[in-house]
Amino acid sequence: MKLLIVDDSLIMRRAIERSLARTRFKEVRTATNGRLAVEMFDRYQPDVVTMDITMPDMDGLTAVDLILKRNPKAVILVVSALADKATAVEAIKRGAQGFLLKPITAEAVQTALDDILSD
Amino acid sequence: MSTSFEPERELAVFIGTIGRYFQTVGGALPAFLSPTLELILPARLDCTGYMPVSGRLTGWIALSLPSDLLRALLRHMGEEQHDEAAQLDLVAEITSTLTSNAREHFGEHLRVAPPLAALAGDFPRELAPPPLSFRLPFQWQGADAFLLIALQR
């Protein structure tokens, strides 16, 4: 399976990537903002997207909208801090499937990805 | 949720968010020391993350950490890159997460932008030095660090 990790922090992208060892994701791509995430989604067609909210250039909510316009069945896990909760709820209303609270642990990432794929 | 932001009374919120972050990511709680009111901008440690804040309150919230602490956190996370770029990236991410989680308590009084990161001697040109600030020092695994709240109405 293919995963697209979207976060402006290199350390966060790598932390999510390291947590994939026990998951079904064998191919991983990354993007540093919402605009690049949409471009990568078009090119890469991932099975799941993990999406940060507060990012420069284009925020995660806008990217969620654009990705779901391209593919209404896209599977998106919002990964954000509590202040983004209202935005994350809005993203879920618009079609994102899950919300993972920062700070994250490898176990939390694995569980969230398992949950989102079992839905 | 508070109807106003009073840093001297609301430091407990930041103590909670900092504690939770270090416990979750680093496996141990920090020890907090007495907060102080600073009339000049305190010297920052090796790497500092700044969160610009706007809305009814303007200014910024900063987290200043030494390299030793950041390297220890990176090791704990399983990250192999420990250089200056990784440290600045991590301090920005921690500051963003802490401020965002605190903002859940303060509500619309804190509207945040993506974080900025700077080395000790640098100060982001996008920000203005504050007339005063609240400094919340803490220690984690023997390293000194502090949070700086520089907000005004």
Side-chain angles (χ1 to χ4, degrees), chain A residues 69-115:
Chain A
K69 271 184 191 168
R70 284 161 162 74
N71 180 0
K73 292 183 178 175
V75 179
I76 302 173
L77 173 67
V78 174
V79 182
S80 72
L82 269 180
D84 301 324
K85 192 165 66 177
T87 309
V89 169
E90 181 61 29
I92 288 168
K93 281 183 187 168
R94 296 182 192 190
Q97 281 79 8
F99 171 64
L100 179 61
L101 177 67
K102 287 183 178 180
I104 60 166
T105 62
E107 294 75 17
V109 173
Q110 288 165 14
T111 301
L113 289 172
D114 285 346
D115 288 350

Side-chain angles (χ1 to χ4, degrees), chain B residues 91-132:
Chain B
V91 79
E93 173 63 21
I94 298 173
T95 308
S96 174
T97 302
L98 294 180
T99 307
S100 295
N101 285 343
R103 181 173 161 246
E104 210 257 347
H105 175 83
F106 297 120
E108 74 277 14
H109 303 301
L110 296 183
R111 194 159 59 235
V112 299
L116 306 164
L119 296 171
D122 299 333
F123 185 75
R125 66 181 65 180
E126 298 90 336
L127 305 177
L132 57 84

Side-chain angles (χ1 to χ4, degrees), chain A residues 9-10 14 18 82-83 102, chain B residues 79 81 89 93 100-101:
Chain A
S9 163
L10 168 68
R14 288 221 191 112
R18 279 193 301 275
L82 269 180
K102 287 183 178 180
Chain B
E79 175 59 52
Q81 184 181 339
D89 186 290
E93 173 63 21
S100 295
N101 285 343

Side-chain angles (χ1 to χ4, degrees), chain A residues 9-73:
Chain A
S9 163
L10 168 68
I11 298 301
M12 281 303 300
R13 295 195 301 274
R14 288 221 191 112
I16 293 173
E17 197 166 352
R18 279 193 301 275
S19 69
L20 301 176
R22 293 180 201 163
T23 68
R24 286 174 272 175
F25 295 99
K26 302 305 175 197
E27 293 181 47
V28 178
R29 297 288 188 280
T30 61
T32 57
N33 61 50
R35 183 178 54 76
L36 293 173
V38 176
E39 289 177 16
M40 286 294 290
F41 184 86
D42 286 341
R43 199 181 324 151
Y44 181 53
Q45 294 295 305
D47 297 287
V48 177
V49 179
T50 69
M51 182 70 74
D52 187 18
I53 292 292
T54 304
M55 293 183 289
D57 202 1
M58 180 190 287
D59 65 45
L61 187 60
T62 306
V64 166
D65 271 344
L66 292 173
I67 287 172
L68 289 170
K69 271 184 191 168
R70 284 161 162 74
N71 180 0
K73 292 183 178 175

